[in-house]
């Protein structure tokens, strides 16, 4: 009964490179949320996806960031042309339902460092 | 615009005593509140939640109290144990068309001394 899996756990990129973060939700969960935690801050919502659909991307920066959750395979958060300010911990969470009040199960996070 | 605030960055408590962690919110659309616990290098783990139609929810050593008029909630841990030492996040959910997305506070570092 595996939990939410994220890889890689640590990712180092130079400015201008691309970062790809992967999230495999818990078995049976088709709702995925991505959050970002900057140093000394709480988690901030980025995007909510269901299989093959982006439902709410109101927390995602308008440029360089994109997310997908294909029919097969993990959800991907992609950051193009990374900058130092993108250095953060990125967490994904999954839920059996997108309804409010449902517990979200979090993965261990990917710590992105931009040099 | 910090809609969920945890004004105490840290709290230190003796083992066996009560830990009280506080959280304030500004958005009256929030109707569900959750507490998460986080250890270093791990993801947050769900602890306990409360719906806005209740003022108290209890689960073992953990109790959450909600004061809607004051837009304030608190998490009580009693008795506190050294293994409770972690960062505690308060989170809120507006329900409805918010699709379950959570708004988090900044977190409170709890240290329980043996």
């Amino acid at each position: 009964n595996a939990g939410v899996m994220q890889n890689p756990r640590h990712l180092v990129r130079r400015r201008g490179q691309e970062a790809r973060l992967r999230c495999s939700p818990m078995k049976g969960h088709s709702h995925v949320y991505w959050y970002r935690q900057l140093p000394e801050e709480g988690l901030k919502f980025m995007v909510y996806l269901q299989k093959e659909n982006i439902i709410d991307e109101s927390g995602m920066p308008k440029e360089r960031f994109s997310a997908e959750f294909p029919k097969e395979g993990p959800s991907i958060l992609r950051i193009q042309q990374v900058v130092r300010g993108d250095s953060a911990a990125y967490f994904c969470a999954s839920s059996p339902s997108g309804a409010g009040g449902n517990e979200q199960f979090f993965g261990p996070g990917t710590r992105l460092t931009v040099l | 615009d910090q809609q969920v605030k945890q004004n105490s960055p840290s709290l230190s408590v003796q083992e066996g005593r009560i830990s009280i962690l506080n959280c304030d919110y500004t958005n009256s659309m929030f109707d569900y509140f959750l507490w998460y616990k986080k250890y270093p290098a791990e993801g947050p783990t769900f602890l306990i939640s409360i719906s806005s139609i209740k003022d108290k929810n209890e689960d073992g050593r953990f109790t959450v109290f909600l004061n809607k008029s004051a837009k304030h909630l608190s998490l009580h841990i009693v008795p506190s144990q050294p293994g409770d030492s972690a960062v505690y996040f308060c989170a809120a959910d507006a329900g409805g068309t918010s699709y379950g997305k959570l708004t988090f506070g900044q977190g409170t570092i709890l240290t329980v001394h043996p």
Side-chain angles (χ1 to χ4, degrees):
Chain A
N1 185 17
V4 178
M5 299 176 69
Q6 289 188 250
N7 68 82
R9 293 292 306 274
H10 300 273
L11 182 61
V12 178
R13 285 288 177 266
R14 297 192 180 279
R15 281 178 297 169
Q17 291 184 319
E18 178 179 288
R20 282 189 179 227
L21 289 63
R22 294 172 187 78
C23 169
S24 296
M26 284 182 70
K27 188 176 181 180
H29 289 189
S30 59
H31 301 260
V32 166
Y33 303 80
W34 284 93
Y35 295 85
R36 175 165 68 174
Q37 184 183 22
L38 295 170
E40 309 300 324
E41 295 187 13
L43 285 74
K44 297 266 195 293
F45 168 79
M46 298 181 75
V47 61
Y48 161 55
L49 310 101
Q50 294 180 26
K51 282 284 187 183
E52 300 184 274
N53 288 300
I54 297 173
I55 306 300
D56 182 347
E57 55 182 347
S58 59
M60 195 104 93
K62 295 287 185 272
E63 297 178 352
R64 302 188 297 108
F65 285 72
S66 62
E68 63 177 13
F69 189 13
K71 187 177 180 181
E72 301 290 338
S75 175
I76 307 276
L77 180 67
R78 182 181 177 207
I79 312 172
Q80 296 179 288
Q81 299 171 358
V82 295
V83 301
R84 287 218 175 102
D86 297 332
S87 295
Y90 291 82
F91 293 96
C92 87
S94 74
S95 175
S97 162
N102 277 288
E103 178 187 346
Q104 293 179 20
F105 297 81
F106 282 81
T110 294
R111 276 142 192 87
L112 173 65
T113 301
V114 179
L115 302 177
Chain B
D1 178 24
Q2 190 73 26
Q3 296 186 62
V4 178
K5 292 183 182 179
Q6 294 176 254
N7 291 317
S8 298
S10 62
L11 174 67
S12 184
V13 171
Q14 204 69 30
E15 181 179 7
R17 307 295 288 266
I18 185 171
S19 295
I20 300 176
L21 298 104
N22 294 301
C23 179
D24 297 294
Y25 63 96
T26 57
N27 188 345
S28 56
M29 297 300 291
F30 289 143
D31 67 357
Y32 206 74
F33 302 90
L34 306 91
W35 285 92
Y36 281 83
K37 173 181 178 180
K38 185 181 180 304
Y39 293 117
E42 294 184 13
T45 302
F46 171 77
L47 263 181
I48 191 169
S49 63
I50 188 167
S51 164
S52 61
I53 62 173
K54 295 187 175 182
D55 55 18
K56 178 182 174 181
N57 188 27
E58 191 172 354
D59 184 1
R61 296 186 298 116
F62 303 92
T63 303
V64 57
F65 296 92
L66 175 62
N67 183 333
K68 280 190 69 177
S69 60
K71 292 191 174 69
H72 176 84
L73 63 154
S74 60
L75 174 68
H76 293 211
I77 306 173
V78 56
S80 300
Q81 299 173 354
D84 295 329
S85 297
V87 181
Y88 287 77
F89 289 101
C90 165
D93 176 352
T97 55
S98 76
Y99 303 114
K101 70 182 179 189
L102 298 175
T103 302
F104 282 84
Q106 310 96 305
T108 297
I109 301 170
L110 173 65
T111 304
V112 180
H113 298 282

